[in-house]
Amino acid sequence: NGEIEVVFPENYVLPVRAPLSEGPLLKHDVYVGRFSKVRKRIIKPSVWGNPYPVGKIGRNKCLGLFALQLKRSAQLLNKLPALSGKRLRCHCKRKEACHADLIMRQCRKGIARRAAVVDITIAPPPRVADSDNKGSTERGASYLFGDCDNNRCH
């Protein structure tokens, strides 16, 4: 389907978002902005920075363009696992829609995809009564996948 597959480890912890206004950047924080000068401290641009400025094109268009960029960028998608347990720090207020929310959503999708793959288990073949043996026998994998005629496997 053209989607870029990213492998998330089993112990992956979803990142959370926290505005820069809620305190200083800590060791486990990841700045997701373009550039910042907060409290006389310059914060370098981040690979996660949204290149589409809200002030010029509006929040909805800005977020829509970033969502497309994120979905199509192998470079960014492959960096998502490194965000495990991190706080994504940005300039948006807590109640404002933010591109960090889109990053977190992409992480949740990756976790859901991994969970769907990890949780698939192959059940043992069903035990059924065999009219010829008057007992129970196990049918092979062909039974599970619909390759049987008249309750008999090939």
Side-chain angles (χ1 to χ4, degrees):
N1 64 12
E3 283 192 41
I4 300 166
E5 291 293 326
V6 178
V7 177
F8 286 80
E10 283 189 45
N11 61 348
Y12 189 82
V13 177
L14 288 170
V16 296
R17 177 170 75 106
L20 283 170
S21 62
E22 293 182 3
L25 278 172
L26 302 174
K27 188 176 184 176
H28 63 278
D29 292 342
V30 175
Y31 176 63
V32 296
R34 285 187 297 274
F35 173 81
S36 182
K37 188 172 181 182
V38 177
R39 297 180 189 92
K40 297 182 182 179
R41 180 177 170 202
I42 294 176
I43 304 172
K44 294 180 182 178
S46 164
V47 66
W48 299 106
N50 188 344
Y52 310 101
V54 173
K56 291 184 179 179
I57 61 174
R59 187 167 301 277
N60 288 339
K61 189 169 186 176
C62 166
L63 294 176
L65 289 170
F66 182 79
L68 284 174
Q69 175 185 325
L70 179 59
K71 185 177 179 180
R72 295 176 180 165
S73 171
Q75 177 193 8
L76 290 177
L77 292 173
N78 286 320
K79 291 179 184 275
L80 289 173
L83 297 177
S84 178
K86 304 290 185 184
R87 283 193 318 168
L88 307 182
R89 304 296 301 274
C90 63
H91 296 280
C92 298
K93 295 176 183 162
R94 189 165 286 282
K95 293 185 179 186
E96 290 178 325
C98 173
H99 76 288
D101 297 321
L102 300 173
I103 295 168
M104 293 184 314
R105 182 172 68 190
Q106 197 66 40
C107 291
R108 280 192 299 276
K109 283 182 181 179
I111 293 294
R113 220 178 280 121
R114 183 206 67 217
V117 171
V118 170
D119 290 344
I120 293 174
T121 57
I122 297 177
R127 296 187 64 81
V128 295
D130 184 342
S131 59
D132 294 338
N133 284 338
K134 305 280 191 245
S136 62
T137 61
E138 292 185 1
R139 293 184 178 174
S142 61
Y143 175 76
L144 293 175
F145 298 104
D147 296 336
C148 294
D149 298 343
N150 302 323
N151 295 328
R152 292 267 189 225
C153 296
H154 302 247

